[in-house]
Amino acid sequence: MTAPPIGPGSKVSDVLARYPATGAIFIQHGPLFEVQPGQPSPQYRELTIEQYAARHRLDLLVLLHQLNAEATAADAASRPPGHPSSGRARASRWGPPAGPLGYTGAYRELSGADIESEPVVARQSVHGPE
């Protein structure tokens, strides 16, 4: 088992640069900036995950779990199908699962007698452009 990619000492800016989707998690918990009286614009300080959690009174372990879950999902999505840790390796190695899935249970093979075909141009000529 590998260590999680995001730890308490990870910088918020580094996490956002590597995993942009974690921005939604940060936004849910509070701003990344400070507004100081007398300053014309907000200040974006370099914070670690631990400092961010303390500033917003968050449970550090819960925040780390959320961020690492998003990071793991982003890493898995970036791997090609068939990669041993992509989660899609099993389906690509052994083929699609057998048996009915969803609406495919009603599927039936068409035989030559069941198929009615007509050239599109012939059908459009009879009915016109509408």
Side-chain angles (χ1 to χ4, degrees):
M1 181 156 191
T2 61
I6 302 171
S10 300
K11 300 238 183 228
V12 172
S13 59
D14 294 341
V15 172
L16 285 169
R18 184 165 180 197
Y19 305 105
T22 59
I25 296 169
F26 287 114
I27 289 171
Q28 289 174 356
H29 295 298
L32 295 170
F33 58 86
E34 294 176 352
V35 178
Q36 298 290 332
Q39 294 289 332
S41 61
Q43 303 296 311
Y44 291 86
R45 306 231 185 261
E46 194 65 37
L47 296 173
T48 64
I49 302 298
E50 188 172 23
Q51 291 168 333
Y52 176 83
R55 173 182 286 175
H56 297 291
R57 297 185 179 127
L58 302 172
D59 183 343
L60 178 62
L61 294 178
V62 172
L63 179 62
L64 285 172
H65 177 75
Q66 291 173 338
L67 293 171
N68 281 305
E70 185 62 44
T72 302
D75 284 344
S78 68
R79 292 186 190 104
H83 188 276
S85 60
S86 69
R88 295 176 284 192
R90 171 175 248 160
S92 66
R93 190 175 329 158
W94 293 304
L101 292 173
Y103 294 109
T104 60
Y107 176 79
R108 62 182 174 84
E109 288 290 332
L110 296 176
S111 65
D114 293 328
I115 299 173
E116 295 180 19
S117 65
E118 182 177 3
V120 173
V121 174
R123 175 59 68 180
Q124 288 177 342
S125 298
V126 172
H127 293 288
E130 298 176 8

